[in-house]
Amino acid sequence: MNQQREAAQAEIATKARAEREAVVERRKKIQGVSDRLNALFGMGNEPQKRGKLLEGF
């Protein structure tokens, strides 16, 4: 009985860890896109280059 409970708890912990890692990875991706987009606004007087970089979004 104890082994089954421990196995179930280990499975729940594994799923929770995987979900947390997925959230962290998603946040990293969003932050990367945000950083790239913010960099476009700081380009100043280079509208053609900025436009080409914006096409990547």
Side-chain angles (χ1 to χ4, degrees):
M1 187 76 133
N2 235 0
Q3 290 176 342
Q4 290 175 344
R5 188 177 315 126
E6 289 174 2
Q9 288 175 346
E11 185 178 334
I12 291 169
T14 301
K15 286 181 182 179
R17 189 177 315 114
E19 289 176 7
R20 284 192 307 268
E21 289 173 358
V23 168
V24 168
E25 185 64 31
R26 185 168 185 251
R27 285 182 182 165
K28 284 181 183 179
K29 286 181 181 180
I30 291 172
Q31 186 62 44
V33 170
S34 177
D35 291 344
R36 288 176 43 207
L37 188 59
N38 287 334
L40 293 177
F41 288 105
M43 291 187 75
N45 295 328
E46 300 177 31
Q48 289 180 330
K49 186 176 179 182
R50 184 175 54 235
K52 288 291 185 182
L53 291 173
L54 187 60
E55 287 177 2
F57 286 98

